[in-house]
């Protein structure tokens, strides 16, 4: 005879477990978004762009000669106009989903301004749901 497992019980929003879960989600989501924003801001200046792209590529196991970051700055900025990310935390709390959006923009480097599709800045949005 197989044992049956009861379905998860919906957590009360005032429940200590849910409060702990929500606190960790908010702390980690903020840390992730700050890291992403810092990484994106490093792309604005050509020197920091080259160094950052090289570092990230190296961390991914790509050889410097395969990346040639110094050749990527202008082409990247000719096309890039934003990034949207969505982080969805999952739980068995049964509490209605909450969400937040962390957004901003980065003014393109001098000489790389674009005015296509109404975008004059590199915008970013980081959606977080829990």
């Amino acid at each position: 005879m197989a044992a049956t497992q009861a379905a998860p019980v919906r957590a009360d929003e005032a429940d200590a477990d849910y409060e702990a879960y929500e606190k960790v989600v908010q702390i980690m989501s903020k840390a992730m978004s700050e890291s992403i924003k810092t990484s994106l801001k490093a792309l604005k200046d050509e020197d920091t762009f080259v160094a950052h792209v090289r570092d990230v590529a190296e961390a991914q196991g790509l050889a410097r000669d395969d990346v040639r970051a110094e050749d990527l700055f202008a082409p990247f900025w000719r096309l890039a106009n934003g990034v949207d990310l969505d982080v969805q935390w999952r739980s068995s709390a049964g509490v209605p989903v909450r969400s937040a959006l962390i957004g901003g923009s980065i003014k393109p480097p001098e000489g790389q301004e674009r005015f296509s599709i109404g975008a004059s800045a590199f915008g970013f949005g980081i959606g977080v749901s829990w």
Side-chain angles (χ1 to χ4, degrees):
M1 177 187 272
T4 59
Q5 189 173 20
V9 177
R10 179 185 164 150
D12 183 343
E13 292 177 45
D15 180 75
D17 286 349
Y18 184 77
E19 288 179 13
Y21 166 78
E22 185 174 38
K23 182 173 281 197
V24 171
V25 164
Q26 290 175 351
I27 290 168
M28 296 306 296
S29 296
K30 176 84 171 155
M32 286 187 282
S33 68
E34 289 301 319
S35 178
I36 292 165
K37 289 190 312 188
T38 299
S39 187
L40 292 173
K41 288 178 181 178
L43 302 178
K44 181 179 176 181
D45 173 75
E46 189 165 6
D47 292 333
T48 59
F49 177 98
V50 170
H52 188 58
V53 170
R54 282 180 179 161
D55 290 347
V56 172
E58 183 179 318
Q60 294 176 20
L62 300 172
R64 183 175 283 213
D65 291 341
D66 291 341
V67 176
R68 299 185 52 196
E70 62 279 359
D71 296 337
L72 301 175
F73 180 77
F76 172 81
W77 278 109
R78 277 195 293 273
L79 298 178
N81 65 15
V83 64
D84 292 311
L85 305 164
D86 193 20
V87 177
Q88 295 182 349
W89 293 85
R90 296 184 298 223
S91 80
S92 58
V95 173
V97 174
R98 289 169 174 65
S99 62
L101 177 65
I102 301 157
S105 64
I106 301 168
K107 185 177 179 201
E110 197 67 35
Q112 299 295 329
E113 296 86 355
R114 296 157 329 283
F115 297 98
S116 62
I117 317 173
S120 62
F122 181 91
F124 60 86
I126 304 166
V128 179
S129 301
W130 69 93

